[in-house]
């Protein structure tokens, strides 16, 4: 009579094989390309009859009027952009952002708390979270996705996260310590 392994042996063997396969795939995936957030840039196009003209390079957008003075973070709702402004009113950095579905009212706030990492209300792993206000029960904060991706359009959820590219999130994290002024303008 031929010996047949017990069902427990088969299940154990298949489970070990599946775990090994998943581990190999995870290592391969980690070595592959990672998504990154990029700002949309207009592409150059030629049109018939157009003559070449010298073009001026657009510099960084100017800090909006009415954003105050001194060291501060400026967030423009209309431009969907943030400026990091030093004590001498010089722009240290400016970058585009992707606002959530709940926007703060224009006004002056202060960084109230910071959190290195968590899961966003949209289920995405985020880091460099800088809270500065709340509206209608929704916390408003700057953050960036750990994988650097931009958030997908919200599907009926109320989100207060103002996302940015990963490098800009790191710069904001270094600049926006507790108590730093946040000026929100239209």
């Amino acid at each position: 009579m031929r010996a047949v392994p017990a069902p427990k042996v088969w299940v154990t063997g298949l489970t070990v094989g599946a775990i090994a396969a998943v581990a190999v795939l995870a290592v391969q995936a980690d070595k592959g390309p990672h998504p990154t957030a990029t700002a949309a840039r207009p592409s150059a196009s030629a049109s018939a009859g157009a003559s070449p003209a010298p073009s001026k390079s657009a510099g960084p957008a100017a800090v909006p009027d009415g954003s105050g003075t001194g060291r501060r973070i400026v967030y423009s709702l209309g431009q969907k952009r943030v400026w990091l402004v030093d004590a001498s009113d010089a722009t240290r950095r400016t970058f585009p952002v992707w606002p959530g579905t709940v926007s703060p009212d224009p006004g002056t706030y202060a960084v109230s708390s910071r959190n290195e990492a968590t899961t966003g209300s949209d289920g995405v792993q985020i880091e460099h979270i800088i809270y500065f206000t709340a509206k209608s029960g929704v916390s408003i904060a700057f953050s960036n996705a750990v994988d650097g991706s931009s958030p997908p359009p919200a599907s009926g959820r109320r989100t207060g996260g103002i996302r940015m590219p990963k490098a800009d999130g790191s710069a904001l994290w270094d600049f926006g310590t507790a108590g730093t002024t946040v000026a929100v303008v239209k």
Side-chain angles (χ1 to χ4, degrees), residues 1-13:
M1 183 186 273
R2 190 169 159 205
V4 177
K8 291 180 186 176
V9 174
W10 283 106
V11 171
T12 303

Side-chain angles (χ1 to χ4, degrees), residues 12-74:
T12 303
L14 289 173
T15 302
V16 168
I19 290 172
V22 168
V24 167
L25 292 173
V27 169
Q28 289 177 346
D30 191 44
K31 292 179 182 177
H34 296 281
T36 57
T38 58
R41 297 174 191 219
S43 61
S45 62
S47 59
S51 61
S55 62
K56 292 184 180 178
S57 174
V63 177
D65 291 334
S67 67
T69 59
R71 188 176 189 281
R72 65 199 183 279
I73 299 166
V74 179

Side-chain angles (χ1 to χ4, degrees), residues 43-94:
S43 61
S45 62
S47 59
S51 61
S55 62
K56 292 184 180 178
S57 174
V63 177
D65 291 334
S67 67
T69 59
R71 188 176 189 281
R72 65 199 183 279
I73 299 166
V74 179
Y75 171 41
S76 170
L77 299 168
Q79 295 183 50
K80 297 180 184 176
R81 178 169 284 277
V82 166
W83 290 260
L84 306 182
V85 182
D86 68 17
S88 67
D89 285 327
T91 300
R92 302 284 295 280
R93 187 178 188 119
T94 183

